[in-house]
Amino acid sequence: MTTPQAGARDGRGGPVIALDAMGGDHGPREAVRGAVRAVREHGLRVVLVGRRAEVARLLAEEEAVGAMPVLHAEDALAMHEGALASWRRPRSSVAVACKLIRQGEASALVSAGSTGGVVATSTVRLRTQQGIMRPALAVALPTRPRPTILLDAGANADAKPEMLVQFAHLGAAYARSAFGVEEPRVAMLTIGSEPGKGNRLARKTAELLTAAAAQAPHATRLDFRGNVEGHDLLAGEVDVVVTDGFTGNVALKSVEGAVRFTLQAVGEAMTSTTIAKAGSLLQRRALRELRDRLDSDTYGGAVLLGLNGSVVMAHGASRAPAIERACLLAHDLTSGGISEEVRSRVQAAARTARRPRLGAAEDHAR
Amino acid sequence: MTTPQAGARDGRGGPVIALDAMGGDHGPREAVRGAVRAVREHGLRVVLVGRRAEVARLLAEEEAVGAMPVLHAEDALAMHEGALASWRRPRSSVAVACKLIRQGEASALVSAGSTGGVVATSTVRLRTQQGIMRPALAVALPTRPRPTILLDAGANADAKPEMLVQFAHLGAAYARSAFGVEEPRVAMLTIGSEPGKGNRLARKTAELLTAAAAQAPHATRLDFRGNVEGHDLLAGEVDVVVTDGFTGNVALKSVEGAVRFTLQAVGEAMTSTTIAKAGSLLQRRALRELRDRLDSDTYGGAVLLGLNGSVVMAHGASRAPAIERACLLAHDLTSGGISEEVRSRVQAAARTARRPRLGAAEDHAR
C-alpha cells in the first residue's frame, strides 16, 4: 500500500496518481504530455492507464519511455456517453484506475473524461468513505487572495440538508489539505443574506450548520459564517460555499458564462474604434494573463470529494498544462491528508450528534 | 378608468404610471428627476406618490411644478424593512400607488424601494390576475441582439412545476409586449442540456412544458426550446428562460457578480504596467460604454409579472436615468398590452388543460 506523505514532490514515497490516459476531447496525446510534465517537472508519481500500445507510442514520442508505468485498459468511456452507460463498463480506463486505488496501489484518479461518466464510475467503484452519505463535486473559484471552494457543483441534483452539512465538512477538508487553510470559513449559498432566507432546503441546512458551528471548538468544528448570495461567490471572503448540486452547477456555469461573455465584450469594445484598437495592442499581454487566471482550468479541475481516494476531473477540453495541474492538485489533496481529515470530521460530527445538543432556537439566540 | 393605448408616448391617452417617489437609496430627489425626464423627454404620463410637501419642493427645484400630479402618501417603506413589515403599512407610498391602480387611475407602478417590500405590498394589494397562481419576478439580461428574460428571479423560493409553466407564459407575454417578439423562444434553466436532466422540479417542469408546446399552434402556444444551462444565460439564443425563484436569484446574482468581478479585473490588468496604462487611456470611453451596457439598470429594472397592473422595480441604487428607464419599461409593457396577453394565454392554457391531452411519453417521442 502506498502511504501518502505530506508535501512530498520528490518522486520518492509521494502518493501515486492513476491518470486516465484515454479521457478528454483531445485524446491520449495531451494526457500523456501532461503526465510527462507532472513527472519531470514536479517529481510526481504517475501511472498511465489506457490502451498500452497507443500510450507507449506517445510516451516514445515524448522521449519518456520508462518515465512512468503504463497499466493496460482495453476500453474507454466515451465523452458523449451517459453516466449509467459509463459505470457499467468494467474495463474502461477509469474503472481500471479505480481498481488500482482499491488495491492500494494508487491514491488518486485524474481524468479529463466526461464528468458524468467519471463521477458515476468512481462513485460506484471507490465507494464513499465510511459515514459519508454522498460524494460532492467541488470547484475552486479564481478568487483572491485564495480560491473559494464551491460545492456541490453538480453531483447531487436533489440533496437533503444533512448531506449539505457533510459537504461543508468535505469542503473544509479540501481547503485545509490543498490550500493549507487552518480554519476554513464556510458559508451557505442562498438568496438574501439574513438568516431565514432561501428555499426550504436552504433554511433547514442553515439551521443545521448553525447548530454544528455552535458545538464546542475542536479541530473539526465548522466555522460557519452564515449566508452568502450569488454575487458573493467571487468576493473571496469565505473559503467554502455550500449548496446543493443543482444550484451549485447553475451558479458555477452562470459565473463561467458571465466571465467569458464579459471578456468577449471587452475585446469587442477595445477594438471598436481606431483609438481603442491602438490601446488594445498595448494591453494584449495584460489581458491574456487575466484570461488565463480566470480560466477555470487554472485551478486544476473539479474534485469529487468523499470517496475512498481523491478524484480530480480536468475539463474535457484540457491540454497538457491542465492535465499537469490536475495531477498537482491530486497530489496536494492526497499528501495533504484529505482522507484522514474527512474521516476525523465525520467521526467528530457523529459523536456530537449522539450527544444531546442544544435546540436550533437556542443556537440562534447565542 | 385610464385605458392603456398601444404605442402612445405622446402624453395624451397613454397609460398612467404611478411612481413611488420615496423608494431607493438616494431618496425622492432622484425619483423626481427621473419622473421629470420621463414626462418631458418621452411624453409619458406619471403621477408622483409620496410626501406632498417634499415632492412639491423637489419639483419646484426642477422647475417642473404642474408637470405632473402629486398624490400624497404620509408613509414610506424602509429599504431595510422585511417584506412582511412592509405590506402591513397601508399608507406607504407603494400601498397608495397600488390603490391608484386598483381604482383604475393608473396602470403601472414604478419603485426603487426594497424588492422584498415592493413585491410583498403589490402582491397583496394588486392581487394576481385571474388564473395566475403566483407572480414572478422577471429581469432582462443584457444579451444581443435582444434581451433574454430570466424569470422567476426571486419572488418564489419554493415553486411547483405548474407555476413554472405559468412563468413561461408570463415571460413570453413580457417579450412580446415590451420587445415585440412575435413568437418568443422559451427554455428551462437546468443542469445538462439533454432531456431528463436536473432536479425533480426541473424534470417535471420540462415534461409539462414539452406537453404545452405540443398543443396545436395558436397565438398563445409556447415555443419551448428545451433545456439551457447557466453558461447559456448570456448567449442570447432564447427570449425567455424559466426557473424557480431560488435558482433564478442565485443565477442572476452570480452573473451580476461575475460581470462586475471581470470588469474590475480588466481594469486592474489594464493599469498594471506603464504600457498597459497608456493603452487604457485610449480605451477609457469604449470600456465605459460597455460598463453601461452591462449595468443591470440599463434595461429598466425587474418586473413583477402576473398581477393586476405592471410593477417595475428599479434598482435601489437607481439615479434619475434608471428611474426614467423604469418608467419607459412600465409604459411599454402596459401599452404593449401585457395584461391582455397574459389573460389570453392563461385562458388558452386552461382550455387545453380541460381537453384530454397526450401523455408526456408520447410527447417526447414526437
Side-chain angles (χ1 to χ4, degrees):
Chain A
M1 163 104 193
T2 307
T3 313
Q5 307 210 339
R9 279 190 191 178
D10 61 356
R12 293 157 302 164
V16 174
I17 296 157
L19 175 61
D20 167 22
M22 310 309 288
D25 301 335
H26 302 296
R29 185 180 302 274
E30 297 295 322
V32 170
R33 278 189 182 153
V36 170
R37 294 169 67 143
V39 169
R40 288 209 175 129
E41 290 172 32
H42 307 282
L44 303 197
R45 298 172 69 194
V46 175
V47 177
L48 283 166
V49 186
R51 292 193 188 98
R52 191 191 303 276
E54 194 172 351
V55 174
R57 183 176 54 76
L58 291 165
L59 270 176
E61 281 182 24
E62 300 295 315
E63 300 184 351
V65 177
M68 69 198 87
V70 178
L71 182 62
H72 182 64
E74 62 198 67
D75 199 5
L77 304 184
M79 290 307 280
H80 63 270
E81 233 172 5
L84 276 177
S86 299
W87 76 257
R88 284 200 192 104
R89 295 164 67 164
R91 294 174 178 190
S92 72
S93 49
V94 173
V96 171
C98 287
K99 194 172 170 192
L100 203 66
I101 294 172
R102 274 212 318 281
Q103 291 170 336
E105 304 290 326
S107 313
L109 161 67
V110 170
S111 175
S114 87
T115 304
V118 177
V119 166
T121 303
S122 57
T123 301
V124 167
R125 291 177 192 276
L126 296 179
R127 297 211 197 96
T128 51
Q129 282 190 262
Q130 206 184 348
I132 294 287
M133 287 176 261
R134 294 283 182 85
L137 201 61
V139 291
L141 301 170
T143 47
R144 283 185 168 173
R146 61 184 178 233
T148 292
I149 295 161
L150 173 70
L151 82 168
D152 175 15
N156 310 277
D158 292 292
K160 292 189 168 65
E162 292 76 15
M163 292 179 196
L164 266 65
V165 175
Q166 288 200 336
F167 295 170
H169 282 293
L170 292 174
Y174 180 174
R176 199 167 163 148
S177 311
F179 307 130
V181 185
E182 273 307 310
E183 275 208 63
R185 299 156 299 173
V186 175
M188 188 191 67
L189 182 60
T190 183
I191 62 176
S193 52
E194 312 87 41
K197 286 282 190 171
N199 59 10
R200 273 186 292 270
L201 174 64
R203 291 196 306 269
K204 180 69 187 167
T205 302
E207 234 174 62
L208 296 182
L209 285 170
T210 305
Q215 309 291 354
H218 50 69
T220 58
R221 107 188 159 99
L222 279 181
D223 183 8
F224 179 53
R225 300 292 180 101
N227 296 346
V228 291
E229 298 189 72
H231 48 231
D232 303 317
L233 283 174
L234 297 174
E237 282 168 11
V238 293
D239 301 294
V240 178
V241 174
V242 174
T243 187
D244 64 281
F246 185 82
T247 309
N249 189 278
V250 167
L252 174 67
K253 288 182 176 161
S254 297
V255 164
E256 288 176 350
V259 168
R260 211 173 307 136
F261 174 87
T262 310
L263 286 175
Q264 194 185 329
V266 167
E268 284 164 18
M270 286 173 62
T271 50
S272 61
T273 65
T274 314
I275 287 186
K277 213 168 198 161
S280 84
L281 287 174
L282 301 173
Q283 298 178 318
R284 209 167 269 181
R285 189 179 156 168
L287 282 176
R288 199 173 48 231
E289 282 170 5
L290 172 66
R291 199 163 286 141
D292 286 348
R293 178 164 90 75
L294 300 186
D295 184 338
S296 51
D297 281 354
T298 308
Y299 284 88
V303 182
L304 191 62
L305 297 170
L307 299 180
N308 293 303
S310 298
V311 178
V312 177
M313 276 157 284
H315 198 274
S318 292
R319 299 276 181 185
I323 299 284
E324 176 190 2
R325 284 190 295 267
C327 289
L328 281 170
L329 177 56
H331 175 279
D332 290 351
L333 283 168
T334 313
S335 58
I338 188 161
S339 296
E340 297 72 17
E341 175 82 17
V342 168
R343 190 178 310 123
S344 69
R345 283 180 169 271
V346 170
Q347 285 172 352
R351 273 199 304 278
T352 50
R354 278 195 298 270
R355 286 208 304 266
R357 68 167 187 81
L358 295 169
E362 284 173 85
D363 292 345
H364 273 299
R366 278 159 163 240
Chain B
M1 163 109 197
T2 306
T3 313
Q5 307 210 339
R9 279 193 190 175
D10 59 358
R12 290 159 302 161
V16 174
I17 296 158
L19 174 61
D20 166 21
M22 311 308 288
D25 301 334
H26 302 298
R29 186 180 301 273
E30 297 296 322
V32 169
R33 277 189 183 152
V36 170
R37 293 167 69 142
V39 169
R40 286 208 177 131
E41 289 170 35
H42 307 283
L44 304 195
R45 298 172 71 191
V46 176
V47 176
L48 283 166
V49 185
R51 291 194 190 96
R52 191 191 304 274
E54 194 173 353
V55 173
R57 184 177 53 77
L58 291 165
L59 270 177
E61 281 181 25
E62 301 296 317
E63 301 183 352
V65 177
M68 67 199 86
V70 179
L71 183 61
H72 181 62
E74 61 198 69
D75 199 5
L77 304 185
M79 289 309 279
H80 62 270
E81 234 172 5
L84 276 178
S86 299
W87 74 256
R88 285 201 191 103
R89 296 165 66 162
R91 291 172 182 194
S92 72
S93 49
V94 174
V96 170
C98 287
K99 195 173 169 194
L100 204 66
I101 295 173
R102 276 212 318 280
Q103 291 171 334
E105 304 289 325
S107 313
L109 161 68
V110 170
S111 176
S114 86
T115 305
V118 177
V119 166
T121 303
S122 56
T123 302
V124 167
R125 292 177 191 275
L126 296 179
R127 300 214 194 90
T128 51
Q129 283 190 261
Q130 205 184 350
I132 294 287
M133 285 175 261
R134 294 282 183 86
L137 201 61
V139 290
L141 300 169
T143 48
R144 284 184 167 176
R146 60 181 179 233
T148 292
I149 295 161
L150 173 71
L151 84 169
D152 175 15
N156 310 277
D158 292 293
K160 293 192 167 65
E162 293 76 13
M163 291 178 199
L164 268 65
V165 175
Q166 288 199 337
F167 295 171
H169 281 294
L170 291 175
Y174 180 173
R176 198 164 164 152
S177 310
F179 307 129
V181 185
E182 274 306 310
E183 274 209 61
R185 298 156 299 173
V186 175
M188 188 191 67
L189 182 60
T190 185
I191 62 176
S193 51
E194 313 85 42
K197 286 281 191 173
N199 59 9
R200 273 187 293 271
L201 174 64
R203 292 196 305 270
K204 181 66 188 169
T205 302
E207 231 174 65
L208 296 182
L209 285 169
T210 306
Q215 309 292 355
H218 50 68
T220 58
R221 105 187 161 99
L222 280 181
D223 183 8
F224 179 52
R225 299 292 180 101
N227 295 347
V228 291
E229 298 189 72
H231 48 230
D232 302 317
L233 284 175
L234 297 175
E237 282 168 9
V238 293
D239 300 294
V240 178
V241 174
V242 173
T243 186
D244 65 280
F246 186 83
T247 309
N249 190 278
V250 167
L252 174 66
K253 288 182 175 159
S254 298
V255 164
E256 288 176 348
V259 168
R260 214 175 303 136
F261 173 88
T262 309
L263 286 176
Q264 194 185 331
V266 166
E268 283 163 18
M270 285 173 61
T271 51
S272 61
T273 66
T274 313
I275 287 184
K277 215 170 199 161
S280 85
L281 286 175
L282 300 173
Q283 296 177 321
R284 210 166 269 181
R285 188 181 155 166
L287 282 174
R288 199 171 50 231
E289 283 170 4
L290 172 66
R291 200 164 286 140
D292 285 349
R293 179 165 89 77
L294 299 186
D295 183 339
S296 51
D297 282 356
T298 308
Y299 283 90
V303 182
L304 191 62
L305 297 170
L307 298 180
N308 293 302
S310 298
V311 179
V312 177
M313 276 157 285
H315 199 274
S318 293
R319 299 277 179 183
I323 300 285
E324 176 191 358
R325 285 189 295 266
C327 289
L328 281 171
L329 177 56
H331 175 278
D332 290 352
L333 284 167
T334 312
S335 57
I338 189 163
S339 297
E340 297 71 23
E341 176 84 18
V342 169
R343 191 177 310 127
S344 68
R345 282 178 171 273
V346 170
Q347 285 173 353
R351 273 198 304 276
T352 50
R354 279 194 296 271
R355 287 207 304 262
R357 68 169 186 80
L358 295 170
E362 284 173 85
D363 293 344
H364 273 299
R366 275 156 167 247

